[in-house]
Amino acid sequence: MRIGLLGTGNVARALAHGWRDRGHDVLLGSRRPKERTDLGLPVAGLSETAAHAEVLVNATPGDVSVELLRSIGASALTGTLLIDVGVGLSDDFTELSHPNSSLGEQIQEAFPLTPVVKTLCTMDSTVMSAPDSLDGPSTVFLSGDDAEAKRTTGRLLIDLGWPPSSQLDMGGITTARGQEHFALLFMGIANGLGSHTFNVNVVMRS
């Protein structure tokens, strides 16, 4: 698939490498593409990246994501699956930018003709594209209102190494709140472990 990733940071690069290794056509989108030619990945402007993409990934800081997407324009995003992995956090990582909502919900509200799926925001970039680097299985969550969009996202997660048994569909886009609000617990766990390379696993009683 043609996958456009908005952002050029650790998350966008990790996902781009993971999907490219599986044969997908990836393109990173930047507001200053001429300054990001050293990444070993193709980079273009935001609008060009959106036009290229069958699937668009928001890997931008959560407190600017909606504004950035508005700069691309609703018409350019209409009908394109948007996978949102962003979380809005304060500079010191102690407060959420969307404490009573979620970035995923706000993107879906701003772009009602763009199916939004929230996923991969409960872990570090090193785990997103290499879940088998951990000592055991763990869980990746999906939130979204469009069933077909979630099925497509699930297939792309498989390509990153997340089998169906590790994927948990939590329901509609409002459940993205739980995923994003986990960021505060994530930071606490990381502090306790002294590492960001971990994930959680949902375990049921047999």
Side-chain angles (χ1 to χ4, degrees), residues 7-130:
T8 56
N10 292 337
V11 169
R13 298 199 304 272
L15 294 175
H17 280 295
W19 279 317
R20 187 176 69 171
D21 290 346
R22 295 293 296 176
H24 294 286
D25 178 0
V26 301
L27 181 64
L28 298 180
S30 171
R31 284 178 285 196
R32 295 176 292 276
K34 293 181 179 179
E35 299 177 12
R36 306 297 287 166
T37 59
D38 58 340
L39 303 179
L41 292 160
V43 183
L46 300 176
S47 295
E48 182 181 346
T49 300
H52 167 85
E54 296 174 272
V55 175
L56 199 60
V57 179
N58 174 47
T60 64
D63 55 348
V64 301
S65 295
V66 173
E67 177 186 353
L68 183 144
L69 290 166
R70 288 190 192 280
S71 74
I72 296 171
S75 61
L77 303 177
T78 297
T80 300
L81 164 58
L82 192 149
I83 298 174
D84 175 35
V85 301
V87 177
L89 284 167
S90 60
D91 291 341
D92 62 359
F93 303 108
T94 62
E95 296 183 13
L96 294 163
S97 301
H98 311 92
N100 300 309
S101 180
S102 68
L103 174 61
E105 288 175 271
Q106 294 198 6
I107 293 174
Q108 187 63 88
E109 182 179 2
F111 303 94
L113 300 181
T114 300
V116 177
V117 178
K118 189 83 188 187
T119 192
L120 288 170
C121 70
T122 55
M123 64 197 74
D124 186 68
S125 61
T126 56
V127 176
M128 291 178 184
S129 59

Side-chain angles (χ1 to χ4, degrees), residues 69 78 138 144 152 155 186 192-194:
L69 290 166
T78 297
S138 59
T152 300
R155 290 193 292 270
F186 177 92
L193 293 177

Side-chain angles (χ1 to χ4, degrees), residues 163-178:
S165 59
S166 291
Q167 300 180 27
L168 179 56
D169 183 348
M170 298 204 300
I173 195 63
T174 57
T175 65
R177 297 181 189 188

